[in-house]
Amino acid sequence: MARIAIGGFQHETNTFAPTKAEYDAFTRGGGWPALVSGEAMFEAVAGINISVAGFIEGARASGHDLVPTTWAAASPSAEVTDDAFDRISGLIVDGLRAALAAGNLDAVYLCLHGAMVTESHEDGEGELLRRVRAVVGPDLPVVASLDLHGNITRACFDAATAMVAYKTYPHIDMADTGRRTAAILDKILVEGVPFKAFRQLEFLIPLSWQCTMAEPSGPIYDRMAALETGGVWTASYLPGFPAADIADCGPTILAYGTTQADADRAADAVATDVTGHEAAFAGKIYDPDEAVAEARRLAAGASKPVVIADTQDNPGAGGNSDTTGMLRALVSSGVDRAAIGLIIDPEAAKAAHAAGVGATITVALGGHSGIPGDSPFKGSFVVEAIHDGNTTGTGPFYKNARMALGPSAALRIGGVRIAVASRKVQMADQALYRFVGIEPTEQAILVNKSSVHFRADFTPIAHAILVAAAPGPMIADPAQLPWSRLRPGVRLSPNGPVWKGRAGAL
């Protein structure tokens, strides 16, 4: 039995997004549990599909004594403020100091993301690990679970004894990744520190084509899993989060093994596999009107809805989930039996609650983030339902996640229904329509503010899935972003233009 300190700090940072993550964003938690310290952590995360929950389950099954510090997460956005980062890192580090003072500590586990950028640190996780090492020393095993979208630096990799990343996007294996991390830590405690290998690739991969439910990503992960045998303890391929203007944005491969040759062999095989499929990491992206027209064509006679991903306003990638480009396209088309969600607008939700079900309200809906090319949608809407916003996820991604979305409503204009809430969360679960009375399976067209995570719960009910690019902060094509800090030599899209540095010449 080992005594293991545990904690976590998760944020996926879109440096091009409009809103930073302040401390309050972590105390609210978004779609995940709010900031929690001490023994309350065990109850807060129990049964939820997140890595820390899986690690706790796996470590307890091995008989280990777990010492909780602090766990925190917030919805993706622009940079984490220095105040938030220092306060939450301080809680984790103070918890480690207390754990050490109370007795011998055998290891540390951290539930991390891998793409956190703060106001002062491009590599938030690397800085957190530096502070952790300053307390626990260089030799204590420190393991971490990672999101598949981490932009991992060499310094971050070097600071951890081992890191294990998700293998699915949509992320349906988050808790399982925690269990796998617990198993790797068990191996470390018995056999010692593994050899490790790090590879960084030189092209950016758009989010929509990182999906492991399709080519080329799915088979790449299958082939990587086949490598995890014999001397290869574990391997992780992270396609990266391609909306972070930092030097180390982009895909990485991490591998651990009994010998350096084992780790290098696995890392090189995965790197060769990914780069060999570079051209396949691309696909069709529609403009809003094209997407609605194609969806109407496909929906004619279909028994299931056509789903459109409003990918550039994905709140899971830093958007505020309030742009109106796709809503305009739906309404102007005259489509019937369509729904869009979530649109985040506290004032519109407040107006709906004040007016009551059945009333008609005239509001300027959404469009409040100042996104170029976007503006509020002014119209008269029928209030079809109101709700307090407290709901629970039912699908594979948000399973059992308890969400507090604030005052919420279902509004209708013509044949279009809008799921409105006061706090953002990615439309990755059918429950996020149903809680305001919109039945997704009865719609001809669904527009989801999500890039890929929605596929886990919506693919079974979808006749077809399209990807659309309405104005928003999560630009679908990384080559269109205004880069300034990315390392020179990186291709900005698969087989795309090469970034030459700060001067901006391609």
Side-chain angles (χ1 to χ4, degrees):
M1 184 181 76
R3 188 165 178 263
I4 304 167
I6 66 171
F9 192 1
Q10 290 207 336
H11 189 263
E12 184 176 73
T13 305
N14 178 344
T15 62
F16 305 100
T19 307
K20 292 183 179 181
E22 298 182 343
Y23 183 76
D24 285 350
F26 294 91
T27 63
R28 292 192 303 268
W32 307 119
L35 185 150
V36 61
S37 296
E39 293 291 326
M41 184 190 305
F42 296 127
E43 182 178 355
V45 305
I48 301 176
N49 182 26
I50 52 178
S51 294
V52 66
F55 182 89
I56 290 169
E57 179 184 316
R60 281 178 165 170
S62 295
H64 298 311
D65 178 24
L66 302 182
V67 183
T69 61
T70 291
W71 187 91
S75 294
S77 66
E79 292 88 345
V80 176
T81 65
D82 285 343
D83 172 68
F85 181 75
D86 289 340
R87 290 169 72 178
I88 297 169
S89 296
L91 290 170
I92 293 171
V93 169
D94 287 347
L96 292 174
R97 288 195 182 99
L100 286 167
N104 183 57
L105 199 61
D106 297 297
V108 175
Y109 160 75
L110 294 173
C111 178
L112 304 178
H113 185 284
M116 182 193 299
V117 182
T118 79
E119 290 176 322
S120 296
H121 303 286
E122 286 194 2
D123 178 13
E125 287 85 1
E127 175 61 19
L128 173 61
L129 285 167
R130 186 191 69 77
R131 298 181 187 190
V132 167
R133 283 293 184 197
V135 172
V136 304
D139 299 323
L140 192 77
V142 176
V143 298
S145 54
L146 296 172
D147 191 292
L148 175 152
H149 292 117
N151 293 317
I152 308 304
T153 69
R154 168 66 76 169
C156 183
F157 174 77
D158 287 345
T161 309
M163 292 176 154
V164 181
Y166 309 159
K167 294 184 176 181
T168 63
Y169 183 34
H171 303 328
I172 60 175
D173 70 330
M174 292 182 285
D176 185 60
T177 298
R179 295 182 196 99
R180 290 190 291 118
T181 308
I184 289 297
L185 179 55
D186 277 346
K187 194 172 178 70
I188 291 169
L189 292 171
V190 173
E191 300 183 26
V193 173
F195 288 87
K196 56 188 185 178
F198 174 85
R199 304 289 185 269
Q200 189 173 59
L201 305 185
E202 297 303 311
F203 68 97
L204 302 183
I205 302 175
L207 277 185
S208 294
W209 317 122
Q210 295 181 9
C211 177
T212 59
M213 296 175 71
E215 297 271 2
S217 292
I220 287 173
Y221 279 93
D222 291 340
R223 289 188 289 270
M224 182 178 71
L227 297 171
E228 295 177 313
T229 186
V232 178
W233 292 20
T234 184
S236 293
Y237 156 51
L238 300 91
F241 184 62
D245 191 12
I246 61 173
D248 289 287
C249 183
T252 48
I253 292 100
L254 322 176
Y256 302 86
T258 303
T259 68
Q260 191 62 54
D262 290 323
D264 286 336
R265 172 170 51 83
D268 288 339
V270 179
T272 298
D273 197 1
V274 176
T275 55
H277 290 86
E278 181 173 351
F281 288 105
K284 172 68 176 176
I285 299 177
Y286 295 84
D287 72 28
D289 291 330
E290 285 179 329
V292 173
E294 178 66 4
R296 293 189 74 178
R297 185 187 71 80
L298 293 171
S303 61
K304 296 180 178 181
V306 175
V307 182
I308 302 173
D310 188 1
T311 187
Q312 295 197 155
D313 192 33
N314 174 12
N320 281 346
S321 196
D322 76 340
T323 64
T324 60
M326 287 306 305
L327 175 60
R328 292 178 193 280
L330 289 171
V331 174
S332 66
S333 74
V335 67
D336 191 25
R337 291 195 303 120
I340 181 171
L342 293 167
I343 289 185
I344 306 305
D345 191 324
E347 291 303 315
K350 181 179 178 181
H353 278 247
V357 175
T360 297
I361 60 174
T362 299
V363 295
L365 181 64
H368 302 304
S369 295
I371 300 298
D374 189 59
S375 62
F377 184 94
K378 298 177 182 178
S380 295
F381 304 85
V382 176
V383 180
E384 292 200 331
I386 57 176
H387 196 278
D388 64 9
N390 294 315
T391 190
T392 301
T394 58
F397 178 66
Y398 277 132
K399 187 173 180 61
N400 295 328
R402 297 173 288 276
M403 304 179 197
L405 304 179
S408 303
L411 305 181
R412 178 175 56 80
I413 181 168
V416 180
R417 289 174 170 82
I418 307 114
V420 178
S422 296
R423 300 183 191 123
K424 70 177 184 177
V425 69
Q426 185 173 176
M427 178 51 83
D429 198 303
Q430 294 180 48
L432 295 175
Y433 282 116
R434 292 191 177 115
F435 87 109
V436 288
I438 299 171
E439 175 49 52
T441 60
E442 294 177 358
Q443 310 308 310
I445 299 174
L446 293 169
V447 176
N448 292 354
K449 286 186 176 287
S450 175
S451 293
V452 171
H453 283 317
F454 74 93
R455 290 178 183 259
D457 202 25
F458 285 85
T459 295
I461 70 164
H463 174 72
I465 295 175
L466 309 176
V467 178
M474 182 56 227
I475 303 303
D477 180 1
Q480 302 304 313
L481 288 166
W483 299 95
S484 64
R485 293 182 287 178
L486 185 65
R487 65 191 182 280
V490 176
R491 295 183 292 284
L492 298 179
S493 58
N495 290 333
V498 175
W499 173 246
K500 295 183 179 178
R502 289 180 180 272
L506 297 178

